[in-house]
């Protein structure tokens, strides 16, 4: 049976090492699944005295006002008869205290370390283990006493702060409440009973402790309370006689005090019939027994909590990834893996599976055709303009045949307009690709840990996109220039000839007036329309060829080449981990280890029955 409680003791200490303590509501902690006993009551109700007499040693700080300003988690460990008592603090792992007055001093000092000398309180518990042949295995939590008003040096909120702190322990359904009430006070006004009633209305996990029975007025007794008539609890009330202040001043020792307490109950005719169920020793025994049964009942829940935590931690660790290796080969390998992970995500964006790649087709299907339509050919091929270009190129004299130079100039200048939409398509696709790189970097889970490498991959990818853009620009411009360099003369030959004489000679153009120039304008317009149709198809091909296909094939090629030349140091720098994540991984690993050993311990206890 004792193994059960020492198991809980071990797990509780693990919780504090992990920074998990009862008052921390933020995370469902292991602590919260463990049973414990909290001592609750008004100031000077006798809490410290009860704790000390359960332990059988004087070691708690005393004084007026709130002396207990941090929770004290007191773990009692029974050791073999004849061995020397000693105490240990969790915050002073290697120090054994055999002088208990030094324990008291350390509690005071450690309280002040956290709260300063002010009368402030802190929810961070002090852990104290006491090893003694005279105790039973038990975990007790001493809490600041409930108070009604703030005193010197305390904020007004202190009354509420203390109540909140107490509630952070006693609200938990697996916390047993040691409700300390002084017998010389009406039980109806007891602070401890009030708290217990709030959180444990059925009285199932409350132990009523009536102190100061020796201080009751002559002619009165505590039987109404002790026999459950005043306030009924599941577990019977236990009456206690602690040392009075005078006893303390006279240094009456604990053994003598216990002896006197026993005598008080056996020799007092009011209480003799209850004597075997009164006193601090009895209280310690029933508490321990009760705690054991509670723990036993809770083992499955604790085990499943631990297993769940282990699963969560393992999943988180897998998510955070393995620690980075130190040798250059492995680092290079890791970097390449990460690049590939990014590349995979990027390709999914382009090939479907992830959104965004379709934006490229919006460029080809809508933006490019719209830009082509907007080319101001009507204005450029207006009668006025055609006339002036032709007369400038071929002179004002009547042409024998079609004005060759004028045609060419009109065609070239019209085709020049296509450079704009061609470049705009290149740029638009460039920005789509750039955005996809940004998205892919953000979406590559594996990269999250490595801000430096993330930055380098982003820079390398953008640099590559810039190169592809230049190449694409050259290619698409070349397509446009090619259209100007060689005109498909056949196109014009097939056009209906203008005013041709029966003999086959063209009539002098001048005779024709404006109609002649209008026809030239419309001939050029239909030629340019044909070219526009061609470019509408060939520009996307060039853009996909130079930018999209290259991005898919060789986005990081240049980066890879450079990687090969890097020194070990530089590789390590690229893998500089995000410090927050690194810390988180270490924390997870530490917790995991603790939970795993807790699981092993529970398994062992379950098997030993
Ligand atoms: P706490 O503030 O609740 O921790 O109360 P203490 O344990 O410090 O007790 C306050 C005072 O009441 C001390 O002077 C104790 O000696 C005294 N006291 C506590 N319990 C008893 C008791 O059962 N009988 C007598 N006579 N005095 C007691
Ligand atoms: Mg006290």
């Amino acid at each position: 049976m004792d193994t059960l409680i020492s198991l809980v003791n071990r797990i509780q200490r693990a919780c504090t090492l992990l920074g998990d303590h009862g008052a921390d509501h933020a995370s469902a902690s292991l602590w919260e699944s463990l049973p414990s006993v909290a001592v609750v009551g008004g100031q000077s109700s006798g809490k410290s005295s009860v704790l000390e007499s359960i332990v059988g040693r004087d070691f708690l700080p005393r004084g007026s006002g709130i002396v207990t300003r941090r929770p004290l988690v007191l773990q009692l460990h029974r050791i073999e008869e004849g061995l020397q008592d000693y105490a240990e603090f969790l915050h002073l792992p290697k120090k054994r205290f055999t002088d208990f007055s030094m324990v008291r001093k350390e509690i005071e000092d450690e309280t002040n370390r956290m709260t300063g000398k002010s009368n402030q309180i802190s929810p961070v518990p002090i852990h104290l283990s006491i090893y003694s042949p005279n105790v039973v295995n038990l975990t007790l939590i001493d809490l600041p006493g409930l108070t009604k008003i703030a005193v010197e040096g305390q904020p007004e909120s202190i009354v509420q702060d203390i109540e909140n702190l107490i509630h952070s322990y006693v609200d938990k359904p697996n916390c047993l409440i040691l409700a300390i009430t002084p017998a010389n006070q009406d039980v109806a006004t007891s602070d401890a009973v009030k708290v217990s009633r709030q959180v444990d209305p059925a009285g199932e996990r409350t132990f009523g402790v009536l102190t100061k029975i020796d201080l009751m007025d002559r002619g009165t007794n505590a039987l109404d309370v002790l026999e459950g008539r005043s306030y009924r609890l599941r577990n019977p009330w236990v009456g206690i006689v602690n040392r009075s202040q005078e006893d303390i001043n006279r240094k009456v020792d604990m053994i003598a005090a216990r002896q006197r307490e026993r005598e008080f109950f056996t020799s007092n005719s009011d209480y003799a019939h209850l004597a075997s169920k009164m006193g601090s020793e009895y209280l310690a025994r029933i508490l321990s027994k009760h705690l054991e049964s509670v723990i036993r009942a809770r083992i499955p829940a604790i085990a499943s909590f631990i297993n769940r935590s282990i699963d969560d931690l393992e999943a988180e660790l897998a998510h955070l990834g393995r620690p980075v290796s130190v040798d250059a080969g492995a680092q290079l390998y890791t970097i390449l893996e990460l690049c590939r992970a990014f590349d995979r995500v990027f390709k999914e964006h382009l090939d479907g599976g992830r959104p965004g790649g379709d934006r490229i087709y919006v460029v080809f299907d809508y933006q490019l055709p719209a830009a082509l339509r907007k080319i101001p050919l009507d204005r450029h091929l207006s009668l006025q303009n055609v006339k002036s270009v032709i007369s400038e190129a071929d002179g004002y004299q009547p042409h024998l045949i079609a004005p060759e130079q004028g045609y060419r100039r009109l065609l070239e200048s019209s085709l020049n307009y296509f450079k704009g939409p061609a470049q705009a398509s290149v740029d638009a696709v460039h920005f789509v690709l750039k955005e996809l790189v940004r998205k892919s970097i953000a979406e590559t889970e594996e990269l999250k840990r490595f801000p430096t490498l993330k930055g380098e991959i982003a820079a390398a990818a953008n640099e590559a996109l810039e190169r592809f853009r230049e190449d694409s620009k050259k290619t698409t411009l070349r397509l446009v220039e090619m259209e100007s360099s060689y005109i498909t003369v056949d196109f014009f030959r097939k056009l209906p000839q203008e005013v041709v004489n029966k003999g086959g000679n063209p009539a002098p153009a001048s005779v024709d007036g404006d109609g002649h120039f209008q026809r030239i304008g419309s001939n050029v317009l239909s030629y340019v329309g044909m070219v526009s149709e061609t470019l509408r198809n060939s520009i996307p091909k060039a853009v996909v060829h130079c930018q999209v296909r290259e991005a898919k094939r060789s986005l990081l090629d240049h980066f890879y080449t450079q990687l090969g030349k890097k020194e070990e140091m530089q590789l390590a720098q690229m893998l500089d981990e995000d410090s927050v994540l690194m810390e988180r991984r270490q924390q997870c690993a530490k917790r995991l280890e603790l939970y795993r050993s807790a699981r092993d311990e529970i398994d062992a206890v379950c098997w030993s029955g």
Side-chain angles (χ1 to χ4, degrees):
M1 273 299 199
D2 276 358
T3 49
L4 281 176
I5 292 180
S6 50
L7 163 72
V8 170
N9 286 347
R10 276 201 293 276
I11 296 174
Q12 274 177 346
R13 285 196 295 182
C15 290
T16 296
L17 283 174
L18 288 166
D20 250 5
H21 51 82
D24 178 10
H25 291 287
S27 59
S29 65
L30 182 51
W31 175 282
E32 290 177 25
S33 67
L34 296 173
S36 55
V37 181
V39 183
V40 176
Q43 275 180 32
S44 295
S45 56
K47 298 183 298 300
S48 301
S49 304
V50 169
L51 271 184
E52 281 186 335
S53 67
I54 288 175
V55 178
R57 297 301 299 244
D58 301 76
F59 65 98
L60 290 173
R62 291 169 172 281
S64 54
I66 33 168
V67 180
T68 311
R69 289 183 287 114
R70 284 175 64 178
L72 176 76
V73 175
L74 184 61
Q75 294 181 343
L76 307 182
H77 309 259
R78 190 186 187 94
I79 54 173
E80 267 175 59
E81 211 64 50
L83 292 179
Q84 157 92 64
D85 296 16
Y86 66 94
E88 268 175 11
F89 286 94
L90 188 64
H91 66 271
L92 294 172
K94 292 203 175 70
K95 192 158 176 200
R96 272 192 183 199
F97 289 77
T98 45
D99 176 352
F100 280 76
S101 64
M102 292 309 286
V103 172
R104 172 180 307 146
K105 185 168 179 312
E106 182 55 35
I107 294 174
E108 283 164 0
D109 292 349
E110 177 59 16
T111 299
N112 291 337
R113 257 170 238 143
M114 185 67 74
T115 61
K117 286 233 174 199
S118 63
N119 279 326
Q120 313 265 2
I121 60 163
S122 157
V124 181
I126 298 174
H127 274 255
L128 173 62
S129 286
I130 291 183
Y131 299 82
S132 163
N134 308 316
V135 297
V136 288
N137 287 342
L138 192 61
T139 299
L140 299 160
I141 300 158
D142 191 17
L143 292 163
L146 285 153
T147 180
K148 302 234 171 0
I149 45 161
V151 297
E152 173 107 40
Q154 292 176 340
E156 278 307 314
S157 63
I158 191 98
V159 176
Q160 196 57 48
D161 289 346
I162 293 176
E163 211 172 308
N164 293 345
L165 175 59
I166 289 170
H167 273 283
S168 75
Y169 285 86
V170 300
D171 285 357
K172 282 164 205 141
N174 50 328
C175 176
L176 305 186
I177 301 166
L178 216 50
I180 313 288
T181 301
N184 55 357
Q185 182 198 321
D186 189 349
V187 110
T189 64
S190 159
D191 295 308
V193 168
K194 187 179 145 214
V195 169
S196 156
R197 202 179 237 154
Q198 284 165 355
V199 300
D200 178 30
E204 284 170 339
R205 54 188 178 95
T206 297
F207 287 83
V209 178
L210 203 63
T211 55
K212 306 193 183 180
I213 295 187
D214 57 316
L215 294 184
M216 292 183 77
D217 288 341
R218 277 178 189 284
T220 64
N221 65 42
L223 287 179
D224 277 349
V225 176
L226 294 177
E227 290 178 343
R229 286 186 294 277
S230 297
Y231 185 71
R232 195 165 182 77
L233 291 164
R234 248 327 143 72
N235 308 292
W237 284 79
V238 179
I240 297 277
V241 175
N242 288 314
R243 283 169 300 173
S244 65
Q245 191 58 49
E246 194 189 351
D247 294 336
I248 292 166
N249 298 346
R250 288 212 318 252
K251 300 207 178 348
V252 171
D253 77 27
M254 195 60 75
I255 311 293
R258 277 190 177 173
Q259 178 64 29
R260 272 217 334 240
E261 184 187 31
R262 264 197 302 277
E263 279 165 15
F264 175 88
F265 287 110
T266 46
S267 63
N268 188 315
S269 58
D270 284 342
Y271 306 115
H273 68 292
L274 293 172
S276 66
K277 296 191 166 172
M278 293 289 131
S280 1
E281 278 171 289
Y282 175 74
L283 178 64
R285 257 201 325 276
I286 59 163
L287 270 181
S288 181
K289 220 174 117 205
H290 190 92
L291 199 61
E292 277 170 13
S293 70
V294 172
I295 295 170
R296 186 164 281 284
R298 287 200 60 84
I299 277 191
I302 295 174
S304 89
F305 177 86
I306 289 179
N307 283 330
R308 226 176 26 248
S309 305
I310 289 175
D311 289 349
D312 290 352
L313 285 169
E314 279 172 347
E316 186 171 355
L317 269 178
H319 181 77
L320 291 172
R322 293 179 307 272
V324 185
S325 161
V326 283
D327 88 281
Q331 283 174 342
L332 187 59
Y333 179 81
T334 305
I335 293 175
L336 289 175
E337 289 254 274
L338 292 164
C339 290
R340 268 193 287 276
F342 156 76
D343 216 39
R344 249 194 321 275
V345 175
F346 182 67
K347 281 195 182 114
E348 279 172 26
H349 275 295
L350 286 176
D351 294 339
R354 289 177 196 253
D358 49 326
R359 295 278 323 274
I360 291 170
Y361 303 100
V362 174
V363 174
F364 300 151
D365 292 346
Y366 300 98
Q367 281 167 251
L368 176 61
L372 292 175
R373 272 197 304 276
K374 275 197 206 122
I375 292 177
L377 288 175
D378 287 346
R379 181 155 42 82
H380 189 59
L381 297 174
S382 66
L383 182 60
Q384 166 107 28
N385 208 35
V386 170
K387 254 186 194 167
S388 84
V389 171
I390 300 258
S391 50
E392 211 172 281
D394 294 274
Y396 51 84
Q397 291 191 9
H399 316 122
L400 287 175
I401 48 165
E404 174 86 12
Q405 290 308 317
Y407 257 113
R408 285 198 184 277
R409 284 214 192 153
L410 282 171
L411 282 165
E412 270 167 35
S413 53
S414 300
L415 292 177
N416 230 0
Y417 281 109
F418 286 83
K419 287 183 178 167
Q423 291 202 22
S425 304
V426 171
D427 288 338
V429 169
H430 175 77
F431 289 118
V432 173
L433 292 173
K434 227 174 133 172
E435 172 61 11
L436 293 184
V437 163
R438 193 193 61 74
K439 267 193 182 160
S440 307
I441 296 249
E443 288 167 16
T444 307
E445 287 298 322
E446 296 90 326
L447 272 179
K448 291 225 156 80
R449 298 159 55 185
F450 303 108
T452 310
L453 182 62
K454 210 154 105 171
E456 302 228 7
I457 292 181
N462 285 329
E463 219 176 87
L465 289 182
E466 215 54 73
R467 277 198 311 277
F468 304 152
R469 160 152 82 169
E470 281 318 304
D471 187 40
S472 183
K473 220 165 239 182
K474 273 189 205 135
T475 307
T476 50
L477 287 182
R478 186 160 289 169
L479 283 179
V480 176
E481 281 158 10
M482 274 156 56
E483 292 294 343
S484 323
S485 349
Y486 187 74
I487 305 292
T488 313
V489 182
D490 244 14
F491 180 89
F492 293 96
R493 294 198 177 126
K494 279 178 190 151
L495 284 174
Q497 290 297 304
E498 58 179 292
V499 197
V500 175
N501 291 344
K502 284 195 179 109
N505 297 320
S510 60
V511 178
D512 221 28
D514 284 354
H516 169 65
F517 292 109
Q518 255 156 9
R519 257 188 307 280
I520 292 177
S522 89
N523 286 348
V524 170
L525 189 63
S526 42
Y527 183 84
V528 170
M530 176 196 74
V531 172
S532 173
E533 202 51 37
T534 310
L535 289 176
R536 199 164 67 91
N537 292 317
S538 59
I539 288 173
K541 289 179 212 243
V543 168
V544 169
H545 182 81
C546 299
Q547 290 174 274
V548 183
R549 192 189 63 135
E550 281 311 301
K552 250 195 282 190
R553 280 196 345 183
S554 62
L555 189 63
L556 293 180
D557 279 7
H558 192 66
F559 183 62
Y560 292 148
T561 323
Q562 287 175 325
L563 266 187
K565 297 179 199 145
K566 293 236 194 272
E567 303 284 325
E568 186 169 335
M569 265 287 284
Q570 291 169 297
L571 292 177
Q573 268 164 15
M574 289 182 119
L575 288 175
D576 264 352
E577 270 199 275
D578 185 297
S579 61
V580 175
L581 284 177
M582 209 148 76
E583 217 166 86
R584 179 73 197 149
R585 179 178 335 92
Q586 277 165 3
Q587 222 177 44
C588 278
K590 201 173 115 195
R591 273 173 179 260
L592 189 59
E593 201 184 301
L594 263 150
Y595 282 127
R596 280 200 183 122
S597 68
R599 178 171 65 185
D600 291 348
E601 306 227 34
I602 285 191
D603 284 351
V605 171
C606 289
W607 286 109
S608 66

